[in-house]
């Protein structure tokens, strides 16, 4: 066999085995692109999740601006109360436990969708929603107590930055609860349709992102706020 023929055989074999080459043809000559390692566009599930990741990144940029503003204004109390005087570590610890647990139960709901168990999925989504609602209730209670003590957002730059950052996160949690309720209703009526599964997946990403942001708030705002 000549060198040219041998090279052609190697090239042909490589092309046959290459799972990443675009526009592959099957044995009938038809072109296919499944999005599962065989080249071509990705599946709709992947593209939707990718687009939602971009949205989450833009949301994180917004929170980064709020964190930066809080870091600059944390000492600007204008003679008013400080975080050490206002924050209740026990309440915040309970809030953190509720939200982190809701992230765990949200993961259990995702596992239940993989098993296509509507009853288990609905149960864990309901538990996730109740935990999130309890977290939000405690946060609203904290805000109401601070405002009653004349420590509202207009009292100082520190409190303005605090209410803006923590309130923005709480707003996201509230919107997430509305989204969760909508998903439960759609799942009950439509079942495990592909579009419903995509939305549930995006909700899971959103809810876990809120947990990550809360851990940063818990550490940078509350723990540092009550430290000597």
């Amino acid at each position: 066999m000549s060198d040219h023929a041998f090279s052609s055989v190697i090239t042909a074999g490589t092309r046959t085995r290459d799972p990443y080459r675009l526009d592959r043809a099957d044995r009938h000559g038809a072109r296919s692109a499944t999005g599962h390692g065989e080249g071509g566009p990705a599946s709709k599930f992947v593209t939707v999740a990718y687009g939602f990741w971009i949205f989450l990144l833009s949301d994180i940029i917004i929170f980064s601006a709020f964190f930066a503003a809080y870091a600059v204004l944390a000492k600007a109390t204008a003679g008013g109360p400080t975080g050490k005087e206002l924050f209740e570590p026990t309440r915040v610890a309970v809030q953190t436990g509720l939200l982190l647990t809701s992230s765990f139960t949200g993961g259990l709901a995702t596992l239940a969708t993989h098993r296509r168990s509507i009853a288990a999925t609905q149960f864990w989504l309901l538990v996730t929603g109740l935990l999130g609602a309890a977290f939000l209730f405690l946060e609203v209670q904290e805000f109401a107590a601070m405002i009653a003590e004349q420590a509202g957002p207009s009292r100082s730059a520190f409190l303005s930055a605090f209410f803006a950052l923590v309130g923005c996160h709480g707003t996201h949690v509230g919107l997430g609860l509305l989204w969760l309720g909508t998903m439960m209703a759609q799942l009950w009526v439509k079942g495990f349709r592909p579009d419903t599964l995509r939305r549930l997946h995006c909700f899971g990403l959103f809810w876990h992102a809120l947990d990550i942001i809360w851990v940063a708030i818990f550490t940078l705002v509350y723990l540092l706020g009550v430290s000597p």
Side-chain angles (χ1 to χ4, degrees), residues 158-177:
F158 154 67
L159 287 170
S160 295
F162 168 79
F163 274 91
L165 173 58
V166 181
C168 182
H169 179 270
T171 301
H172 279 70
V173 173
L175 293 174
L177 292 176

Side-chain angles (χ1 to χ4, degrees), residues 44 64 119 215:
K44 191 168 184 179
S64 299
V215 169

Side-chain angles (χ1 to χ4, degrees), residues 22 33-36 39-43 47:
L22 295 176
T34 64
H36 298 283
S43 65
T47 55

Side-chain angles (χ1 to χ4, degrees), residues 45-98:
F45 185 91
V46 172
T47 55
V48 168
Y50 179 77
F52 196 76
W53 269 113
I54 295 176
F55 162 76
L56 289 178
L57 290 175
S58 67
D59 216 27
I60 289 173
I61 291 173
I62 295 175
F63 274 103
S64 299
F66 281 113
F67 274 111
Y70 179 83
V72 171
L73 301 173
K75 303 299 182 181
T77 59
T82 64
K84 190 173 183 179
E85 297 169 339
L86 293 172
F87 300 156
E88 299 180 27
T90 302
R91 181 203 300 272
V92 179
V94 172
Q95 285 183 261
T96 303
L98 289 170

